[in-house]
């Protein structure tokens, strides 16, 4: 062993593992062999125990069945049920089957059948004949007791009753008393005989016979009475029947004794003997089973000791081998691992341990030596890398700061452009509006020319502002598409008209190449698509001195619902140098500096077009060569219209383009439910100007009463459409609509909401109440007429005339001064436009509205003093709508804010401040409209 250990220690890792694994397997085989040997013995004892247990259970079953048989036999004498014999037979057959099973199982286990089993089987088989005799005797006993004996009693009772009847006819009182006693004796005979056979009391038997004798004696007494010979015949019949009853009772007693003897003596004795045999056999088997249990427990204890000892010895040997292998592997590995750790941490290692070995450990030591040599070179490289990394981090920091500054500058630029374009668009729209009004004042030719040129310059400036706003939207990611149905041919025609004006006198030809297979009816954003093509086409015309500009539209791929179309704009202009082709898509940038000086422009068109194309899912590409022109192209997927959608679109276009002089609402009867006088007059005049008949209700209750008064027998409405304000006194529009639908059963008449509440939740509330649509205040007259046409089908009657024929009002040169005086507070142009351009209507409504402003503060003061914020907010709601219709949009918005706060929270903590603010706003608005009225008055004077 001392010689083997050093050699074992010098084994390599794999060799050590193989040798150790082999020794462990050998130990495992030895321990397993011992366990299997013990397990085999255990199985033998266990099988023997199972056999004995099975026989013991079978003996116990037989014992139980014998006890049940005894119980049924003993109860058989007390139970006259016919099915009780079937239970006895069933137990008898089951006992025979169980005993035969024990015999067959004993033979299967190669065991001798005990003598008690054979004897018990013979006794059980012998019971079969007695059980059959038991059934016949039971039937005989039952026939005598419950058949013949009951029959005799019935006949006796009948004869006594017959005797009673005969005696009553003759009126013999003494004989009647004797007959009652005889009837009692007969009844006692029946009752006592039944009691005897149920309880077997010997004293009862003598009472039965005594009742018969007493009845016989009383019959003789009756016969000896005077006149007794007259009943001799029936007395003789009763005596014979009593004698017969006595004989039958004696036969029943004899049958009952034989039956009881068979049960209580014969069957009970034999079953008791069988039970004794069964008990002795059960005791014998239980003793044997206990002996086997003790033997099996001893064997199990022995096997457990063997298993524990063998397992313990095997474990000790296994641990010893594992420790030896671990020592042989762990020690050199630990040494090598420590060396690698030192090398990894940068420590200096002069000598590598285990380097002389030729096994796996030796190869690891060689690798450690190579790592040691490499470590020296790595330290040198690390020093150089750290220096380079420091410089790189500094550059990254500088780059991040530069990027952040650039992003901040770009964001500031976009915000500035958006804000400035919005700020400039407002006065530009005012300038264009005032110029439009100026042209209508009867200018001199020279003045008209100046106005036209000023208007053109303003539109050009507005176009530039729109481009700046579009660019800022695109850079901010807020640009959106507005998808509608459109006709490609109409779009191309509009582009052709616009671009033709760009050519002027230049020798340039504008051509369009539209593929025949390109679908004409599409679904997209035609205005943005037109903007792209006009930008690209306009640039092509601008940079082409002579030659041609070709706009091509070609189909690539088409499916049932979509089409991919390529748009190409090709020119023969100056071209773009390769080094400038990328930067031209940036805002405010052109190819070269002198381009701006020669051709002008802001450089926004291409940047906006690029963003719009990408928003549509395409990419704007460029192919160009200096002196040979440029080609811009992009491909996008556009949904196409189905045949039914195309027909609908054509019909709508046809209806929109047809113009007739007849008013659009001629023949319609409209009910207007509105509490504000100003809004009433505006709506009435606009609708009557279009030929409609208008009935006015000041609240929802009046509207319902009007509909009831003008109802038709067929439950249809007298009016064609109802315009319903939401917030009204007495009854609001929501409640009125619900009653119209539910109580008046007017489900077909269209109801359109007219309210200053423009939130989506307000629209949803209108639709839930049963309204058909929703129009916000201030409403546009043309939009209102279109909605009415849509829900009444009047568009088909009036052919959708687009402008009501209202007599033009006299021109007013003071309008410009009035608009300038109050341009921040009142927009006359928008207000007059909402009234269909009817300036006279505005002048007619202005005094009424001013009167409303003068009267309103007193009503509001009363409501504020009463803290009735609900009615206060309703008054503000009415003022909000009418002031917006009159052009005071800013005032209307501020009033709407106060109304909303007071409506949703009447106990608002700042209610007093809000009320004061409302009075201040009303006073300012009244002053603004007074200035407008004064200006109009000065002009008319």
């Amino acid at each position: 062993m001392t010689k083997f250990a050093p050699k074992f220690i010098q084994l390599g890792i794999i060799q050590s593992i193989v040798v150790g694994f082999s020794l462990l397997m050998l130990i495992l085989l030895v321990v397993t062999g011992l366990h299997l040997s013990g397990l085999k013995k255990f199985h033998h004892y266990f099988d023997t125990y199972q056999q004995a247990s099975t026989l013991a259970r079978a003996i116990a079953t037989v014992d139980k069945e014998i006890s049940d048989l005894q119980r049924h036999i003993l109860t058989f004498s007390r139970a006259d049920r016919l099915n009780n014999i079937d239970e006895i037979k069933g137990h008898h057959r089951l006992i025979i089957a169980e005993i035969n099973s024990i015999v067959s199982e004993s033979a299967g286990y190669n065991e001798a059948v005990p003598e008690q089993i054979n004897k018990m089987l013979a006794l059980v088989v012998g019971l079969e004949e007695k059980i059959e005799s038991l059934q016949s005797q039971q039937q005989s006993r039952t026939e005598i007791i419950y058949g013949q004996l009951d029959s005799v009693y019935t006949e006796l009772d009948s004869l006594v009753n017959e005797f009673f009847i005969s005696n009553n006819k003759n009126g013999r009182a003494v004989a009647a008393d004797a007959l009652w006693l005889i009837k009692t004796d007969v009844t006692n005979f029946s009752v006592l005989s039944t009691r005897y056979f149920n309880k077997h009391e010997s004293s009862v038997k003598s009472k039965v016979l005594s009742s018969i004798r007493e009845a016989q004696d009383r019959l003789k007494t009756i016969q000896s009475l005077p006149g007794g010979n007259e009943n001799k015949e029936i007395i003789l019949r009763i005596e014979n029947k009593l004698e017969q009853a006595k004989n039958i009772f004696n036969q029943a007693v004899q049958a009952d004794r034989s039956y009881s003897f068979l049960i209580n003596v014969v069957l009970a004795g034999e079953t008791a003997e069988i039970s004794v045999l069964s008990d002795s056999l059960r005791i014998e088997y239980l003793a044997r089973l206990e002996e086997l249990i003790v033997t099996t427990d001893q064997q199990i204890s022995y096997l457990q000791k063997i298993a524990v000892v063998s397992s313990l010895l095997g474990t000790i040997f296994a641990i010893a081998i594992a420790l030896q292998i671990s020592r042989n592997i762990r020690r050199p590995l630990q040494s090598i691992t420590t060396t690698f750790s030192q090398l990894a941490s940068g420590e200096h290692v002069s000598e590598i341990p285990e380097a002389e070995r030729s096994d796996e450990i030796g190869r690891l030591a060689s690798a450690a030596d190579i790592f040691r040599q490499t470590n020296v070179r790595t330290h040198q490289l690390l020093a150089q890398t750290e220096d380079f990394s420091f410089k790189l981090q500094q550059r990254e920091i500088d780059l991040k700061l530069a990027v952040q500054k650039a992003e901040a500058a770009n964001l500031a630029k976009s915000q500035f452009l958006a804000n400035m374009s919005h700020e400039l668009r407002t006065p530009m729209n005012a300038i264009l509006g005032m110029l439009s009004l100026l042209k209508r004042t009867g200018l001199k030719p020279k003045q008209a020319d100046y106005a036209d040129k000023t208007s053109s310059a303003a539109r050009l400036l507005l176009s530039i502002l729109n481009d700046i706003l579009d660019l800022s939207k695109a850079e901010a990611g807020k640009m959106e598409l507005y998808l509608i149905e459109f006709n490609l041919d109409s779009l191309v025609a509009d582009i052709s008209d616009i671009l033709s004006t760009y050519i002027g006198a230049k020798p340039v030809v504008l051509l369009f190449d539209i593929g025949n297979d390109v679908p004409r009816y599409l679904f997209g954003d035609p205005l943005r698509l037109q903007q792209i093509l006009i930008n690209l086409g306009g640039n092509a015309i601008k940079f082409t001195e002579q030659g041609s500009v070709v706009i091509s539209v070609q189909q690539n791929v088409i499916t049932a619902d979509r089409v991919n179309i390529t748009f190409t704009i090709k020119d023969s202009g100056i071209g773009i140098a390769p080094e400038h082709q990328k930067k031209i898509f940036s805002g405010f940038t052109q190819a070269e500096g002198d381009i701006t000086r020669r051709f002008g422009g802001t450089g926004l068109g291409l940047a906006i077009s690029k963003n719009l194309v990408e928003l549509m899912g395409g990419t704007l590409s460029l192919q160009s060569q200096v002196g040979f022109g440029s080609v811009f192209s992009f491909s996008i997927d556009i949904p196409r219209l189905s045949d039914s959608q195309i027909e609908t679109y054509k019909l709508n276009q046809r209806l929109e383009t047809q113009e007739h002089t007849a008013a659009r609402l001629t023949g319609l009867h409209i009910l207007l439910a509105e509490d504000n006088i100003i809004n009433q007059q505006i709506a009435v005049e606009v609708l009557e100007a279009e030929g409609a008949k208008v009935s006015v209700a000041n609240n929802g209750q009046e509207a319902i009463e009007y509909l009831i008064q003008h109802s038709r027998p067929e439950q249809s409405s007298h009016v064609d459409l109802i315009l319903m304000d939401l917030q009204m006194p007495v009854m609001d529009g929501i409640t009125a609509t619900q009653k119209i639908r539910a109580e008046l059963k007017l489900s077909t008449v269209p109801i359109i909401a007219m309210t200053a509440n423009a939130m989506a939740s307000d629209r949803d509330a209108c639709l839930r109440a049963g309204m058909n649509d929703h129009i916000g205040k201030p409403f546009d007259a043309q939009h209102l007429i279109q909605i009415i046409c849509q829900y009444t089908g009047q568009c088909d009657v009036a052919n959708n005339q687009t402008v009501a024929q209202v007599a033009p009002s006299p021109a007013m040169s003071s309008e410009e001064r009035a608009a300038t005086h109050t341009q921040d507070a009142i927009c006359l142009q928008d207000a007059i436009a909402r009234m269909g351009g009817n300036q006279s209507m505005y002048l007619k409504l202005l005094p009424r509205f001013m009167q409303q402003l003068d009267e309103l503060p007193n009503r509001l003061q009363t409501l504020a003093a009463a803290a009735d914020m609900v009615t206060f907010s309703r008054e503000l709601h009415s003022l909000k709508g009418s002031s917006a219709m009159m052009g005071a949009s800013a005032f209307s918005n501020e009033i709407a804010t106060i109304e909303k706060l007071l409506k949703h929270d009447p106990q608002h903590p700042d209610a007093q401040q809000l009320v004061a603010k409302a009075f201040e706003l009303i006073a300012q608005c009244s002053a603004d409209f007074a200035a407008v009225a004064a200006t109009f008055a000065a002009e008319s004077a």
Side-chain angles (χ1 to χ4, degrees):
M1 183 68 182
T2 56
K3 295 181 180 179
F4 174 73
K7 292 182 180 180
F8 186 81
I9 294 174
Q10 294 300 323
L11 292 175
I13 295 176
I14 297 177
Q15 294 172 339
S16 300
I17 292 174
V18 171
V19 172
F21 181 75
S22 300
L23 290 174
L24 289 175
M25 289 300 296
L26 179 61
I27 294 172
L28 180 63
L29 289 174
V30 173
V31 173
T32 303
L34 292 173
H35 286 182
L36 290 175
S37 176
L39 189 61
K40 184 176 181 182
K41 292 181 180 180
F42 171 74
H43 282 166
H44 170 72
Y45 284 105
F46 185 72
D47 290 342
T48 304
Y49 169 76
Q50 280 188 322
Q51 294 170 5
S53 178
T54 301
L55 292 174
R57 286 195 299 271
I59 292 297
T61 302
V62 170
D63 190 58
K64 176 181 177 300
E65 292 297 330
I66 291 173
S67 297
D68 290 341
L69 179 62
Q70 285 181 305
R71 177 171 54 81
H72 280 289
I73 288 174
L74 292 175
T75 57
F76 189 78
S77 62
R78 299 188 298 272
D80 292 325
R81 295 180 295 112
L82 295 177
N83 59 347
N84 201 26
I85 191 65
D86 295 330
E87 295 175 358
I88 293 174
K89 289 181 178 180
H91 285 293
H92 180 259
R93 287 193 297 268
L94 187 57
I95 291 171
I96 294 175
E98 289 292 339
I99 294 174
N100 288 329
S101 175
I102 293 172
V103 173
S104 61
E105 287 179 0
S106 298
Y109 297 150
N110 296 321
E111 292 188 4
V113 179
E115 180 63 26
Q116 295 97 317
I117 291 289
N118 294 327
K119 186 176 180 180
M120 187 166 58
L121 179 61
L123 290 172
V124 172
V125 171
L127 287 176
E128 183 174 4
E129 181 179 354
K130 298 177 179 62
I131 290 172
E132 293 295 335
S133 174
L134 178 65
Q135 183 177 7
S136 62
Q137 289 192 24
Q138 183 198 37
Q139 293 175 352
S140 175
R141 174 179 176 274
T142 301
E143 173 63 25
I144 295 172
I145 295 173
Y146 299 106
Q148 297 178 11
L149 203 59
D150 287 347
S151 178
V152 167
Y153 166 72
T154 302
E155 292 175 359
L156 274 172
D157 187 63
S158 177
L159 289 173
V160 172
N161 289 335
E162 182 180 349
F163 200 177
F164 259 115
I165 294 170
S166 175
N167 187 59
N168 288 335
K169 289 181 179 181
N170 298 323
R172 296 184 179 91
V174 178
D177 294 338
L179 284 176
W180 275 114
L181 293 174
I182 293 173
K183 186 173 182 63
T184 301
D185 293 334
V186 172
T187 302
N188 289 337
F189 163 74
S190 175
V191 173
L192 292 173
S193 62
T194 302
R195 179 178 174 183
Y196 171 76
F197 290 117
N198 285 334
K199 296 186 177 182
H200 296 92
E201 298 176 359
S202 58
S203 59
V204 174
K205 175 185 174 184
S206 59
K207 290 180 180 180
V208 172
L209 297 175
S210 175
S211 63
I212 294 175
R213 286 194 298 270
E214 289 176 357
Q216 291 173 341
D217 293 340
R218 289 188 176 90
L219 283 174
K220 292 178 181 178
T221 301
I222 292 172
Q223 189 174 5
S224 63
L225 293 174
N229 291 328
E230 296 177 1
N231 298 311
K232 184 178 181 179
E233 180 183 356
I234 193 168
I235 290 172
L236 182 60
R237 288 166 56 194
I238 293 174
E239 287 179 345
N240 292 336
K241 191 57 67 178
L242 287 171
E243 189 64 28
Q244 182 182 359
K246 178 180 178 181
N247 294 334
I248 292 174
F249 176 75
N250 289 329
Q251 292 176 9
V253 170
Q254 185 62 34
D256 182 66
R257 287 178 179 175
S258 300
Y259 176 71
S260 298
F261 178 81
L262 178 62
I263 291 175
N264 298 325
V265 178
V266 179
L267 288 176
E270 292 187 9
T271 53
E273 184 178 359
I274 296 172
S275 177
V276 170
L277 291 173
S278 174
D279 286 340
S280 64
L281 190 62
R282 178 172 56 80
I283 293 170
E284 180 181 343
Y285 270 96
L286 287 176
R288 182 182 176 189
L289 186 62
E290 290 178 359
E291 181 182 351
L292 285 173
I293 290 173
V294 173
T295 305
T296 304
D297 289 340
Q298 293 174 352
Q299 186 64 25
I300 290 173
S301 177
Y302 172 75
L303 292 176
Q304 286 177 343
K305 293 177 181 177
I306 292 293
V308 170
V309 171
S310 61
S311 298
L312 184 60
L313 291 176
T315 303
I316 293 172
F317 278 110
I319 291 173
I321 294 171
L323 289 174
Q324 188 63 37
I325 294 174
S326 174
R327 187 183 307 166
N328 190 43
I329 297 174
R330 179 179 55 81
R331 187 178 298 168
L333 281 179
Q334 187 175 10
S335 176
I336 293 297
T337 302
T338 303
T339 302
F340 271 106
S341 299
Q342 293 174 344
L343 292 173
S345 61
E347 298 180 12
H348 176 69
V349 178
S350 58
E351 183 179 357
I352 304 299
E354 308 293 340
E356 71 280 359
R357 297 180 61 156
S358 59
D359 56 0
E360 296 86 354
I361 302 297
R363 288 194 289 274
L364 283 174
S366 299
D369 186 53
I370 295 172
F371 182 47
R372 180 175 62 84
Q373 297 173 10
T374 305
N375 205 17
V376 176
R377 294 192 296 272
T378 303
H379 279 294
Q380 298 172 354
L381 292 174
L382 282 175
Q384 299 174 2
T385 303
E386 287 178 359
D387 182 60
F388 177 76
S389 177
F390 176 76
K391 294 179 180 179
L392 183 61
Q393 289 177 355
Q394 288 296 117
R395 292 183 180 179
E396 286 181 353
I397 293 172
D398 295 339
L399 180 61
K400 287 182 179 178
L401 291 175
V403 170
Q404 291 174 357
K405 290 180 181 179
E407 290 177 348
N410 188 48
L411 178 61
K413 181 199 72 173
S414 298
Q415 292 176 346
F416 173 77
L417 291 176
N419 292 335
M420 288 304 298
S421 61
H422 277 295
E423 292 296 328
L424 293 173
R425 278 163 57 92
T426 301
M428 283 305 302
N429 283 324
I431 291 171
L432 288 172
M434 292 302 104
L435 286 171
S436 176
L437 294 174
L438 180 63
K439 292 177 185 180
R440 296 166 57 185
T441 60
L443 299 176
K444 296 178 181 180
K446 191 172 184 178
Q447 292 173 329
D449 180 58
Y450 290 160
D452 288 338
K453 290 178 179 178
T454 304
S455 179
S456 298
R459 287 194 179 90
L460 177 59
L461 180 57
L462 184 61
S463 175
I464 295 173
L465 293 175
N466 288 334
D467 287 344
I468 294 174
L469 182 59
D470 283 345
L471 181 62
S472 64
K473 284 184 178 179
E475 291 180 346
K478 295 182 178 180
M479 184 174 288
E480 297 179 353
L481 298 177
Y482 181 66
L483 305 180
I484 60 172
E485 301 167 343
F486 69 95
N487 186 338
L488 183 61
D489 289 337
S490 300
L491 178 66
V492 172
D494 293 341
I495 294 172
S496 176
D497 293 340
I498 295 172
L499 293 180
S500 296
T501 62
Y502 291 6
I503 296 175
K506 294 172 65 173
V508 177
V509 178
L510 176 62
L511 302 174
F512 288 88
D513 180 16
I514 313 298
N516 293 329
D517 56 349
V518 178
R520 271 19 184 202
Y521 296 95
L522 304 171
F523 185 77
D525 191 335
L527 293 180
R528 291 300 187 183
L529 184 57
Q530 182 183 41
Q531 183 179 356
I532 296 170
L533 296 176
I534 289 176
N535 281 340
L536 298 177
N539 284 342
I541 294 172
K542 180 192 299 184
F543 297 114
T544 302
E545 296 293 342
Q546 61 179 1
S548 63
V549 174
V550 180
I551 299 178
S552 174
V553 182
Q554 302 297 328
Q555 170 188 304
N556 295 324
V557 180
I558 187 170
T559 62
D561 57 350
R562 304 186 72 84
V563 61
N564 184 270
I565 299 177
T566 297
F567 296 86
T568 305
I569 297 88
K570 180 179 181 182
D571 65 66
S572 57
I574 62 175
I576 304 172
E579 62 271 17
H580 300 308
Q581 291 184 10
K582 291 186 178 179
K583 66 179 183 179
I584 64 171
F585 291 106
S586 300
F588 304 100
T589 303
Q590 293 193 343
E592 300 177 28
D594 62 339
I595 295 295
T596 304
R597 291 190 295 272
R598 290 174 55 195
F599 298 98
T602 61
L604 295 176
L606 285 178
I608 295 172
S609 299
K610 175 178 178 294
N611 283 286
L612 288 174
V613 169
E614 291 175 351
L615 188 61
M616 294 180 182
T619 302
L620 183 60
S621 61
L622 166 64
Q623 295 178 356
S624 183
Q625 186 177 356
V626 176
F628 292 93
S630 304
V631 177
F632 288 87
S633 63
F634 61 92
S635 298
I636 56 176
D637 284 336
I638 305 179
R640 52 184 298 201
L641 302 185
S642 63
D643 293 340
S644 60
Q645 290 173 327
I646 292 173
E647 292 301 321
T648 303
Y649 175 79
K650 288 180 178 180
L651 177 61
N652 291 336
Q653 292 297 309
R654 190 160 55 248
L655 292 176
E656 288 178 3
T657 56
Q658 292 177 350
E659 294 186 3
H660 296 274
T661 58
R664 287 171 286 181
L665 305 182
T666 301
L668 289 183
H669 185 186
I670 298 173
L671 174 60
L672 173 65
E674 169 66 60
D675 63 319
N676 187 279
I677 297 176
I678 302 298
N679 292 336
Q680 285 180 2
Q681 186 169 356
I682 294 173
V684 168
E685 295 204 17
V686 168
L687 297 175
E688 287 182 347
E690 290 291 336
K693 176 185 176 182
V694 183
S695 299
V696 179
N698 294 307
N699 52 64
Q701 183 63 41
E702 288 187 10
I704 292 177
E705 292 173 356
Y706 180 87
L707 292 172
I708 293 174
Q709 293 172 3
H710 297 83
S711 62
R712 295 173 179 172
E714 63 275 13
Q715 289 189 344
S716 62
S717 174
H718 180 67
V719 299
D720 299 296
L721 182 137
I722 302 173
L723 296 175
M724 182 75 70
D725 187 22
L726 291 190
Q727 294 192 18
M728 296 180 290
V730 183
M731 183 183 292
D732 60 79
I734 295 291
T735 305
T737 301
Q738 292 172 342
K739 288 181 176 293
I740 291 171
R741 297 302 192 204
E743 298 179 8
L744 302 187
K745 307 298 183 182
L746 299 179
S747 58
T748 58
V749 59
I751 303 178
I752 310 299
M754 293 180 63
T755 179
N757 295 334
M759 301 296 290
S761 58
D762 299 317
R763 175 180 175 83
D764 293 341
C766 295
L767 298 179
R768 285 195 301 270
M771 296 185 182
N772 299 83
D773 212 328
H774 177 282
I775 299 176
K777 293 179 183 177
F779 62 83
D780 179 79
Q782 299 306 320
H783 179 59
L784 174 62
I785 294 169
Q786 290 174 3
I787 292 294
I788 293 174
C789 288
Q790 175 185 344
Y791 284 97
T792 59
Q794 193 70 7
C795 293
D796 297 331
V797 177
N799 294 312
N800 198 22
Q801 180 177 342
T802 58
V803 180
Q805 301 299 317
V806 181
S809 301
M812 297 179 62
S813 60
S814 64
E815 182 175 326
E816 180 180 5
R817 293 197 303 273
T820 304
H821 180 73
T822 59
Q823 62 181 357
D824 293 333
I826 302 171
C827 183
L828 296 178
Q829 183 180 359
D830 290 346
I832 295 172
R834 289 192 193 98
M835 300 178 190
N838 192 340
Q839 187 171 294
S840 298
M841 182 189 299
Y842 185 85
L843 293 175
K844 185 187 301 183
L845 292 173
L846 183 58
R848 287 193 179 186
F849 180 67
M850 292 178 64
Q851 182 182 0
Q852 179 184 359
L853 287 177
D854 293 338
E855 297 173 352
L856 184 60
N858 292 331
R859 295 200 304 273
L860 293 180
Q861 188 68 41
T862 303
L863 294 173
D868 187 359
M869 293 296 106
V870 176
T871 309
F872 192 99
S873 63
R874 186 182 299 125
E875 290 284 351
L876 293 184
H877 176 80
S878 177
L879 177 61
K880 174 181 66 175
S882 59
S883 60
M885 288 298 297
M886 295 301 293
S889 299
F891 169 77
S892 175
N893 292 335
E894 293 190 68
I895 288 296
T897 302
I898 298 174
E899 177 223 352
K900 182 178 180 181
L901 293 173
L902 294 178
K903 177 182 177 181
H904 291 287
D905 186 7
Q907 305 299 327
H908 196 282
D910 298 330
Q912 295 299 326
Q913 291 85 339
L914 294 174
V915 169
K917 180 66 174 177
F919 281 112
E920 179 183 343
L921 291 172
I922 293 171
Q924 182 62 47
C925 182
S926 180
D928 291 337
F929 275 101
V932 173
T935 304
F936 282 135
E939 179 64 24
S940 62

